[in-house]
Amino acid sequence: RKHGVTLHLSLHSERQPVQDVAALYLVEPSAENVQRIARDCSAGLYDSMYLNWSSSISQEQLHSLAAAVAESDGAQRVLKVVDQYMDFISLDHSLFSLNMADSFVALNDPQVSDADMERTMAKLVNSLFSVVVTL
């Protein structure tokens, strides 16, 4: 409370409107999260919203969010949208992890589908980009 944080809630939990409060979202840029934030905005859960993405949000997802927010006349609630590039875990000043379980298998399994391989590679590239951006 001494730092001004009054609540800490999961994005997908049911929440009641809290008036005169700014919401700070720190979420992964996924279609599901974008839709939930758009619903929160249209429901008027908070007076203002600061959206922080753990990695870079795609233009398609950003346009989807903007369209949904504009449709509900909630655009004035969204005050800031920021890519934080936090898609890795820093274990020490010179050691980090991408936290990708079974990545070796996913990249080297001869029976992996092309779609799964592309998803794994995209996650790997985004995470490494986050590391480089924050150096």
Side-chain angles (χ1 to χ4, degrees), residues 4 31 35 39 96 100:
Q35 290 170 356
R39 281 198 313 263
F96 65 90
M100 294 179 64

Side-chain angles (χ1 to χ4, degrees), residues 92-105:
D92 192 22
H93 70 281
S94 61
L95 180 64
F96 65 90
S97 170
L98 302 182
N99 201 28
M100 294 179 64
D102 301 322
S103 59
F104 182 81
V105 174

Side-chain angles (χ1 to χ4, degrees), residues 6-7 10 27-28 33 50 53 61-62 65-66 75 83-85 87 89 96 110 121 123 131-132 134-135:
T6 56
L7 289 174
S10 172
V27 294
E28 182 179 344
N33 290 346
Y50 296 85
W53 306 101
Q61 289 173 324
L62 195 56
L65 176 64
D83 294 334
Q84 295 291 350
Y85 299 106
D87 205 10
I89 298 169
F96 65 90
M121 291 301 292
K123 168 81 171 128
V131 171
V132 171
T134 59
L135 288 177

Side-chain angles (χ1 to χ4, degrees), residues 8-134:
H8 176 270
L9 301 169
S10 172
L11 178 64
H12 296 287
S13 66
E14 291 302 318
R15 293 165 279 139
Q16 300 296 318
V18 182
Q19 299 304 317
D20 299 324
V21 171
L24 173 69
Y25 288 78
L26 178 58
V27 294
E28 182 179 344
S30 69
E32 183 181 9
N33 290 346
V34 167
Q35 290 170 356
R36 182 56 192 233
I37 291 170
R39 281 198 313 263
D40 288 356
C41 192
S42 67
L45 290 184
Y46 309 103
D47 283 348
S48 58
M49 303 164 76
Y50 296 85
L51 308 180
N52 292 271
W53 306 101
S54 62
S55 61
S56 182
I57 184 170
S58 71
Q59 287 294 326
E60 181 181 300
Q61 289 173 324
L62 195 56
H63 287 295
S64 173
L65 176 64
V69 168
E71 186 177 293
S72 69
D73 291 330
Q76 73 280 0
R77 286 190 180 92
V78 179
L79 299 182
K80 199 169 206 178
V81 179
V82 179
D83 294 334
Q84 295 291 350
Y85 299 106
M86 300 172 14
D87 205 10
F88 66 98
I89 298 169
S90 180
L91 303 170
D92 192 22
H93 70 281
S94 61
L95 180 64
F96 65 90
S97 170
L98 302 182
N99 201 28
M100 294 179 64
D102 301 322
S103 59
F104 182 81
V105 174
L107 293 170
N108 293 290
D109 184 358
Q111 298 187 0
V112 70
S113 70
D114 287 344
D116 287 341
M117 178 63 78
E118 287 180 19
R119 259 192 306 279
T120 301
M121 291 301 292
K123 168 81 171 128
L124 178 67
V125 167
N126 285 336
S127 295
L128 287 174
F129 182 74
S130 292
V131 171
V132 171
V133 165
T134 59

